[in-house]
Amino acid sequence: AVCCMASSSRKLELDEPSPGSVLDGSTGLAEACKRETWLEIGRVAGLHVLDEKFMASGAEVLKRGKASRHLIEKCCATMQKDGFFRLENEDMCPTSDGCKFFLKLCQNLAKGINLLETKGFPPVFCCIFDEAWLVSCFVCEQWAEIFKDGDKLSSALKNDLKFNADFWAWKVVPRTEDGNGKVTHGTGKKRARATEEAENDLSKSGWGHHRDRETMPLKPGEAPKYVSLWVPLTEASVRNGCMSLLPASRDPEYFPQDNLGVGHSERLDTKNRAGEDTAGMDGDKSVQECEWCLMEMSPGGLLGWSGRLLHKAVKPAPQKRQRAQHESPVLPRMSLAFAASSNDFEDPLLRLPSRSVPFRLGECVSLKERLGVVAVQMWTYEHRVPIPPAARQILMDFERLYDDSDVDEDTNDSMKRENIENNEK
């Protein structure tokens, strides 16, 4: 059985690039390190880069007012019972102007991902733009930190979660079924190439079921020390690959058996390269038979879940190439993810090692720091998302120029450990 949480559909017109575009080497490291390069790409979408005035004014709009006490308690109760919480756009900010502005940020980021694709850059490069930092830091300050607040919460449920730049972004490509029943991706003459890329790149097809932090210790009554935060930039539905969660109350493996983050679920989380569920092929069907919840959402909302929660992207249902006149086309599902973490489990500054204090809403992170985050994330998830050759060269050249004094040996070692321990994210 599957419970479905659906929301009203909001149309979002996006300029679609040609499928299968790749880096042609025209944007080298020298250009990638220039603010003007990204402004040129993002200007059409109304995106900003290193605009201190925009960051300050945007932060003011978003944080105006105070979050509803009822919503805070509801989110905390849901997280405690089922390991996740959910908000629609109209609840994201205390004011309607804030909600509209948050939605606009998401819409512009979605357009930016399309524009980046025309230049051959993967979706995660959208965190070069100011809008990604406004969205992520606002969410962390407004919502993730609620778990240390509240008169009705016990001390065990209060965690000091701070923004963690564990960024990733997706553009899940709709699947089309031709007259012969063959499923393809994209449209036009480049359909074959787009199909091959979507099958090999899990930013374009979604990821199979997994836990973001398999090693996170967690006991009943405790708040998670790592919370994943996922924002739909476009409509997310079963047609284009919405999220599906297994509530903690239905997952016998949610709490680790030895409270050290290692349990039977380690075997259940096994996936193949395409992200398809392979758990249970040895006779254990428990993951597939559990009651998952589909999370169909409109753009500008929020899903937050514990690092121990099993979740996955729904494989988009194949659409007929020839649709009826009254049927609207299925647009790609685009989304942005980041996290909040407690320092005693995962240092929130792990990906921003040059900083001594957490990044705050309205601050302008340097372009060097943003490129550094992109580099770390792409190397970390390379086993899931192949790096285009030209992008790989840019990242390698950037690393060579990176000031080693900004990253001490301990930080390098901890990043290597995280890459190994969390390679199923």
Side-chain angles (χ1 to χ4, degrees):
V2 175
C3 72
C4 182
M5 300 183 179
S7 58
S8 58
S9 171
R10 292 182 184 174
K11 300 293 183 182
L12 177 61
E13 295 299 326
L14 297 171
D15 297 325
E16 285 296 319
S18 301
S21 58
V22 296
L23 273 174
D24 56 8
S26 61
T27 304
L29 178 62
E31 292 300 313
C33 290
K34 294 179 181 178
R35 174 175 179 257
E36 292 73 19
T37 298
W38 305 105
L39 282 175
E40 184 68 24
I41 295 174
R43 187 174 289 115
V44 177
L47 294 168
H48 302 75
V49 182
L50 303 179
D51 189 328
E52 294 183 356
K53 184 177 179 180
F54 171 73
M55 291 289 284
S57 61
E60 180 61 31
V61 173
L62 290 171
K63 67 182 181 182
R64 193 175 295 149
K66 191 173 182 179
S68 161
R69 191 68 191 170
H70 170 72
L71 276 177
I72 290 177
E73 293 179 353
K74 180 181 178 181
C75 289
C76 289
T78 306
M79 176 65 86
Q80 183 180 7
K81 177 179 181 290
D82 283 324
F84 73 91
F85 68 92
R86 169 198 175 121
L87 292 165
E88 297 296 341
N89 176 253
E90 55 265 28
D91 294 325
M92 285 301 302
C93 302
T95 67
S96 60
D97 286 344
C99 293
K100 291 176 182 177
F101 181 63
F102 188 86
L103 175 61
K104 185 66 175 177
L105 294 175
C106 294
Q107 292 173 331
N108 288 351
L109 281 171
K111 294 177 182 178
I113 288 176
N114 275 333
L115 292 168
L116 285 166
E117 187 182 32
T118 66
K119 302 295 183 180
F121 291 102
V124 72
F125 272 83
C126 73
C127 72
I128 295 293
F129 300 114
D130 295 343
E131 283 75 3
W133 295 87
L134 274 177
V135 165
S136 56
C137 292
F138 167 72
V139 166
C140 287
E141 291 190 17
Q142 182 78 357
W143 295 110
E145 292 187 9
I146 64 176
F147 301 111
K148 66 174 183 179
D149 195 12
D151 297 335
K152 296 183 179 181
L153 298 179
S154 67
S155 58
L157 284 173
K158 298 178 182 179
N159 258 336
D160 189 13
L161 300 180
K162 298 295 184 184
F163 168 66
N164 182 328
D166 190 7
F167 277 111
W168 200 253
W170 291 262
K171 179 178 178 179
V172 177
V173 183
R175 305 161 71 235
T176 304
E177 187 178 82
D178 61 21
N180 298 319
K182 183 178 180 180
V183 175
T184 59
H185 294 257
T187 58
K189 297 179 180 179
K190 298 182 178 180
R191 180 181 293 111
R193 185 174 189 177
T195 300
E196 180 181 359
E197 287 188 349
E199 290 175 349
N200 292 327
D201 184 343
L202 299 186
S203 283
K204 297 182 179 181
S205 61
W207 295 3
H209 72 268
H210 62 284
R211 304 183 198 272
D212 287 342
R213 289 298 181 269
E214 182 74 43
T215 60
M216 184 181 76
L218 186 64
K219 297 178 181 180
E222 285 185 344
K225 297 178 183 294
Y226 181 99
V227 174
S228 297
L229 298 157
W230 185 90
V231 175
L233 306 179
T234 61
E235 180 184 359
S237 71
V238 293
R239 301 174 71 195
N240 64 1
C242 66
M243 295 301 298
S244 182
L245 312 179
L246 180 60
S249 58
R250 304 175 188 174
D251 179 7
E253 304 294 340
Y254 177 68
F255 296 107
Q257 293 180 357
D258 54 10
N259 288 319
L260 294 176
V262 179
H264 179 61
S265 56
E266 211 170 43
R267 181 170 62 84
L268 295 183
D269 288 350
T270 303
K271 296 170 290 299
N272 60 21
R273 182 173 174 78
E276 297 169 339
D277 295 351
T278 60
M281 287 187 174
D282 57 354
D284 191 333
K285 301 291 185 181
S286 58
V287 170
Q288 291 89 333
E289 292 174 355
C290 288
E291 296 183 1
W292 292 72
C293 286
L294 298 177
M295 295 290 164
E296 295 192 312
M297 298 186 70
S298 296
L302 172 67
L303 278 178
W305 59 78
S306 157
R308 285 286 306 170
L309 192 79
L310 267 178
H311 59 284
K312 63 183 177 180
V314 174
K315 199 169 186 177
Q319 309 296 315
K320 293 186 181 299
R321 187 176 300 172
Q322 299 297 328
R323 63 178 185 275
Q325 289 185 342
H326 66 278
E327 292 181 328
S328 59
V330 181
L331 298 176
R333 185 266 281 172
M334 300 187 214
S335 54
L336 178 70
F338 39 94
S341 63
S342 177
N343 191 57
D344 60 353
F345 172 68
E346 180 172 309
D347 183 1
L349 296 176
L350 186 65
R351 293 162 185 82
L352 295 168
S354 61
R355 289 182 170 263
S356 58
V357 295
F359 173 77
R360 302 297 295 181
L361 178 64
E363 289 184 42
C364 231
V365 175
S366 71
L367 183 54
K368 177 181 177 180
E369 288 176 306
R370 300 180 193 199
L371 287 170
V373 169
V374 170
V376 169
Q377 296 302 89
M378 293 206 72
W379 291 128
T380 299
Y381 300 125
E382 183 186 11
H383 67 291
R384 284 187 170 278
V385 182
I387 303 175
R392 177 185 294 272
Q393 189 60 53
I394 289 176
L395 297 180
M396 292 175 66
D397 290 344
F398 176 77
E399 283 192 346
R400 293 189 187 100
L401 291 179
Y402 203 90
D403 184 1
D404 292 336
S405 64
D406 285 346
V407 186
D408 61 29
E409 188 173 343
D410 289 341
T411 301
N412 275 324
D413 289 343
S414 64
M415 283 194 172
K416 290 176 182 177
R417 285 196 301 271
E418 185 197 35
N419 190 3
I420 295 172
E421 292 172 355
N422 301 310
N423 64 0
E424 290 304 322
K425 180 170 180 183

